[in-house]
């Protein structure tokens, strides 16, 4: 009887409001990585990276509207940050032929050229990565925020030597699809959003050091 009374008292004490509860370890955010190698646009590399775009879109669909941890790097092919796949600098570059998938990278420059050309940005400097061509019947896009919109007073990694784009940290992901297209956007979460930044620090502590 005494043992039952002690056990019941312990259970009641744990459940009482206002008393300190045992600390719970923070769970990391759902995480995904994204890599493009601008210096290598071979058919083999492009096929691998198209699969990367599709995998990130599947991740975005599974976590639509949630905070996630994104590790995104687009490697420059020149010290000035150029990218051989940046089609925005070459408006007359032909569309992909029927036998090869292509990836285009558009830094979304110019207010007058936004959504009417099939892009999904709303601020200059955002990055629209589009995968088009076989084996997909859709235009599949990953829309990344402008680096200028990544707050330097929050724990992001937002640069790396020689990289055209390089940042890691928490984002709110949104997934969209319709006739002929599918895309995902990544947004900086509000600085006061409960739990996100503590969970993101767990991700950052667990990721391999470059």
């Amino acid at each position: 009887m005494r043992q039952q009374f002690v056990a019941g008292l312990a259970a009641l004490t744990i459940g009482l409001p206002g008393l300190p509860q045992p600390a719970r370890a923070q769970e990391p955010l759902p995480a995904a990585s994204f890599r493009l190698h601008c210096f290598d646009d071979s058919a083999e590399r492009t096929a691998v990276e198209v699969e990367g775009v599709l995998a990130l879109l599947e991740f975005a669909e599974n976590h639509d509207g949630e905070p996630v941890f994104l590790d995104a790097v687009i490697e420059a092919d020149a010290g000035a940050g150029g990218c051989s796949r940046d089609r925005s600098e070459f408006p007359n570059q032909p569309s992909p032929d029927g036998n090869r998938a292509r990836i285009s990278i558009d830094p979304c420059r110019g207010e007058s050229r936004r959504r009417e050309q099939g892009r999904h940005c709303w601020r200059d400097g955002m990055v629209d990565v589009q995968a088009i061509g076989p084996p997909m019947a859709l235009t599949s896009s990953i829309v990344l925020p402008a680096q200028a919109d990544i707050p330097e007073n929050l724990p992001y990694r937002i640069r790396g030597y020689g990289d055209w784009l390089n940042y890691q940290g928490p984002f709110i992901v949104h997934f969209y699809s319709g006739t002929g297209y599918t895309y995902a956007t990544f947004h900086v979460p509000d600085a006061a959003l409960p739990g996100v930044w503590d969970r993101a620090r767990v991700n950052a502590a667990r990721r391999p050091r470059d």
Side-chain angles (χ1 to χ4, degrees), residues 37 66 88 124 128 146 159 162 201:
H37 299 80
E66 299 177 12
S88 66
D124 283 359
D128 186 359
R159 61 178 61 86
R201 288 184 179 92

Side-chain angles (χ1 to χ4, degrees), residues 1-13:
M1 175 67 71
R2 174 179 172 78
Q3 290 179 341
Q4 292 176 344
F5 173 77
V6 171
L9 180 61
L12 176 63
T13 302

Side-chain angles (χ1 to χ4, degrees), residues 53-159:
V53 171
L54 297 180
L56 187 54
L57 283 170
E58 182 178 2
F59 173 85
E61 184 175 15
N62 291 336
H63 298 284
D64 184 27
E66 299 177 12
V68 299
F69 191 89
L70 179 66
D71 178 354
V73 177
I74 296 177
E75 295 184 1
D77 58 5
C83 182
S84 60
R85 292 180 180 175
D86 181 357
R87 300 201 325 173
S88 66
E89 296 297 319
F90 307 100
N92 296 322
Q93 182 172 335
S95 298
D97 59 39
N99 299 315
R100 183 179 175 188
R102 294 292 297 169
I103 292 175
S104 70
I105 301 172
D106 191 345
C108 302
R109 299 186 183 103
E111 290 291 322
S112 63
R113 297 177 52 212
R114 291 190 292 177
R115 296 179 185 271
E116 61 270 24
Q117 290 193 359
R119 295 182 295 170
H120 312 291
C121 329
W122 51 91
R123 282 176 57 84
D124 283 359
M126 295 181 72
V127 181
D128 186 359
V129 179
Q130 293 192 354
I132 48 182
M136 300 168 293
L138 301 175
T139 297
S140 301
S141 299
I142 303 297
V143 184
L144 303 171
Q147 184 164 305
D149 291 338
I150 306 296
E152 294 191 7
N153 62 334
L154 294 175
Y156 284 95
R157 174 182 170 182
I158 58 174
R159 61 178 61 86

Side-chain angles (χ1 to χ4, degrees), residues 181-203:
Y181 70 88
T182 180
Y183 69 98
T185 60
F186 291 83
H187 309 266
V188 175
D190 190 284
L193 197 62
V196 168
W197 301 98
D198 290 337
R199 295 177 66 189
R201 288 184 179 92
V202 177
N203 290 89

Side-chain angles (χ1 to χ4, degrees), residues 13-21:
T13 302
I14 291 173
L16 285 175
L19 292 179
Q21 300 298 316

